[in-house]
Amino acid sequence: VQLQAFGGGLVQTGGSLRLSCAAGRTSSNNAMGWFRQAPGKEREFVATISWNGGAPNYAESVKGRFTISRDRAKNTVYLQMNNLKPEDTAVYLCAKSRYASGGSEAGHYVSWGQGTQVTVSS
C-alpha cells in the first residue's frame, strides 16, 4: 500500500493546517494513524482512527487541538490541526494499522507513507 501525506507547510503559532493521507482501497478495513518525528527525536504517536471512523484516540499533547477523521469513500484520512504550537513542528507521517482498531504503538502499523513537513513559527 502506497500512502501519501499532503498538506504540510509553514504556519504561525495559533494557526491551522489540514493534512490529508491518500490511503488506497486496501486500507478501508484497517485503522489508520498519524505519527510525527522532529529532528533529533524519536517518532511519536499523534492520533489514530478505527476502520469505520470511530474510536479516535490522541496523544495528550494534541488533545483538544487536533482532529482525525476519514472518508472511506475517498480512501483518505485527515488530520485537522488547530492552535498550532512551535513544538508541533515535525515531519508528519500517516500509517496503516494491521488491525481494525488503532493503537499508539508504531509496531501496530504495517505501512508508512512519506511524510509532510509542518513548521510552526513562533
Side-chain angles (χ1 to χ4, degrees):
V1 175
Q2 187 70 22
L3 305 177
Q4 292 184 304
F6 305 93
L10 173 64
V11 65
Q12 291 184 331
T13 296
S16 297
L17 284 173
R18 188 195 196 201
L19 305 184
S20 301
C21 174
R25 287 179 298 169
T26 59
S27 301
S28 61
N29 294 325
N30 298 79
M32 297 292 296
W34 286 96
F35 286 74
R36 67 187 181 186
Q37 188 163 17
K41 295 187 177 180
E42 293 187 355
R43 185 173 297 181
E44 67 170 345
F45 167 74
V46 175
T48 187
I49 192 166
S50 67
W51 72 278
N52 63 355
N57 191 29
Y58 301 92
E60 286 297 325
S61 59
V62 306
K63 267 184 189 176
R65 301 188 297 121
F66 291 12
T67 302
I68 189 171
S69 61
R70 69 188 299 169
D71 185 331
R72 297 182 75 229
K74 295 182 179 179
N75 299 309
T76 301
V77 181
Y78 304 98
L79 185 69
Q80 177 67 44
M81 307 186 295
N82 298 327
N83 192 22
L84 283 160
K85 304 175 181 180
E87 51 264 42
D88 295 318
T89 295
V91 173
Y92 283 71
L93 308 102
C94 61
K96 169 189 168 184
S97 174
R98 66 180 77 241
Y99 306 117
S101 296
S104 61
E105 296 183 11
H108 287 189
Y109 296 83
V110 295
S111 298
W112 294 83
Q114 291 184 332
T116 185
Q117 176 70 46
V118 172
T119 303
V120 184
S121 63
S122 57

